[in-house]
Structure formats: C-alpha cells, structure tokens
Amino acid sequence: MTPIGFRILPRTAPAVDAAVLAGYAELGSAQISDCMNRLYGIVGLRPLHAGARRIVGLALTVKTRPGDNLMIHQAISMGVAGDVIVVDGGGETANALVGELMMMDARNRGVVGFVVDGAVRDADVFAAGDFGCFARDVNHKGPYKDGPGEINVPVSVGGQVVHPGDIIVGDADGVVVIPAEHAAAVLALAQKKEADEAVSKEKLRAGTYTKPWLEKTLAEKLGGAK
C-alpha cells in the first residue's frame, strides 16, 4: 500500500507577511469575498463560538476519514500561535470530530480556531467561549481514533480548496479563504472596499446616498426592450 492517505507532511515557512496577515483582522469576510469575485469562500459551516468573534490565521490542514480524529489530534500537537486547524471530514456529521478537551489543548498552543467540515460536540462550551469554531453540525457521538488521514495537504472544505498556509478569516457571515500568493493584493482591495463602504454609510446617514450604477444597469438591460 502506498503512503498516500496516511501522511504527515512538514510545515513550510509562512508565505504571508505578518503585517499583511494582521491587516485582515479589521476586515469582514463578506468584503473580502467580494474582492475575490465571490468565489473563494467556505459554505455550509456556521460559527458556534460566542458572538461569532472574528478569527484570522493561517491554515493548518487535515484530511481525515469521516468520523475519525486521529490526525486532528496530531495536528493540534503541531499547532503554533496563529494557526487555524482546517479539517476536511468529508461533510459527515455522524460523529463529532472535536470537543472541549481538544479545544483546550489547541488554545494552549496558540491555535485560534477550528474550521471543521463535519460535526463537533460540547457546543455549550464553544458557545460560551471565544475560541473560534466553525462546523457543519453538532453531535454528541464521539469519534474514532484509527486513521487514516493526512496533515498539511490541500483539502476540500465546504466547497473550497484550502492549501496549507492560506489565510483563513471567519466571522458571523462565515469563512473565507485567501490564497497565500494573493494575500497582499486582496488585502489592498478589501481595505479600499471597507473605506468605500464607510463613505456610503455616511451618505446614507445624511440622506445623500445615490445609486448611479442602478440607472446605468437598467438602461443597459432595458434600453433595447420593445
């Protein structure tokens, strides 16, 4: 049997500058998504932690057999400050893949959150705390610990391919993934979008907001109508 399917690949040096990563802390997932043509986001997962507090970090990826968390435990043991552990559990929710004890272990190592395409348990603990947790569902039934699985490989989570070291931003609207090689460019676009939206909000408060794009679009779409 080949080793593919049961591997732990080494971490690589972060490809994202620390200042660029820090810049995402003030940006919403919706605005970031808009700046990537609304294609690079995880769908189907919901925030389970208190206040859906925003999390920002670099992806430490895990691909596991549905219902098994052996490699998630190993990933936690490899975790460093600023990691987000992103788990491809195949979307299966028959067994919870993480719970309170694993969360405590991860938090002690500086991990800032879990993004799990599967189920979690101890939902009340996550709901009362500030450790980020996004998951597909909740289930009291625990996991198996046999493998197989892989760490630091590309994974598919909620319809999105996530590579090790990609930027993860999660908030009340969901989780967005920024490919590491585009981090600086997307940051600049999202910061401009946030600034533009701030101006629009001021105009709305003042009653001076207009939608010139609306008239233009309608003229283009309806101009040839008979």
Side-chain angles (χ1 to χ4, degrees), residues 16-210:
V16 178
D17 183 82
V20 171
L21 180 62
Y24 281 96
E26 304 301 322
L27 300 174
S29 63
Q31 287 71 31
I32 297 168
S33 176
D34 285 352
C35 294
M36 296 187 292
N37 287 296
R38 301 170 174 87
L39 284 179
Y40 282 79
I42 291 170
V43 297
L45 308 189
R46 55 193 172 96
L48 298 176
H49 54 289
R53 181 184 65 86
R54 182 172 299 145
I55 65 166
V56 178
L58 299 180
L60 172 55
T61 60
V62 183
K63 183 174 181 65
T64 187
R65 178 171 67 90
D68 191 288
N69 73 357
L70 176 69
M71 284 301 192
I72 305 174
H73 276 281
Q74 176 59 22
I76 290 173
S77 74
M78 296 167 58
V80 299
D83 279 344
V84 177
I85 294 180
V86 179
V87 180
D88 176 356
E92 176 58 59
T93 59
N95 298 84
L97 294 177
V98 299
E100 180 181 10
L101 296 180
M102 295 175 74
M103 178 272 289
M104 293 175 67
D105 189 9
R107 184 178 59 192
N108 287 344
R109 298 170 189 275
V111 174
V112 299
F114 294 143
V115 175
V116 181
D117 199 349
V120 306
R121 66 180 181 179
D122 300 321
D124 57 336
V125 176
F126 283 109
D130 61 0
F131 183 89
C133 183
F134 297 82
R136 189 167 293 279
D137 207 346
V138 173
N139 194 330
H140 61 85
K141 293 173 63 178
Y144 302 98
K145 294 176 171 59
D146 304 303
E150 297 188 318
I151 297 174
N152 280 325
V153 297
V155 296
S156 176
V157 176
Q160 174 65 50
V161 175
V162 183
H163 292 84
D166 283 350
I167 295 177
I168 304 296
V169 177
D171 59 20
D173 286 330
V175 182
V176 68
V177 180
I178 304 96
E181 63 268 30
H182 300 294
V186 173
L187 175 63
L189 291 171
Q191 287 175 329
K192 181 180 184 306
K193 183 170 181 60
E194 288 272 13
D196 290 345
E197 288 191 0
V199 172
S200 295
K201 290 174 185 177
E202 286 301 317
K203 290 181 178 179
L204 283 163
R205 294 185 186 102
T208 60
Y209 181 70
T210 60

Side-chain angles (χ1 to χ4, degrees), residues 205-219:
R205 294 185 186 102
T208 60
Y209 181 70
T210 60
K211 301 178 182 179
W213 60 269
L214 180 58
E215 289 187 11
K216 180 175 182 295
T217 301
L218 288 176

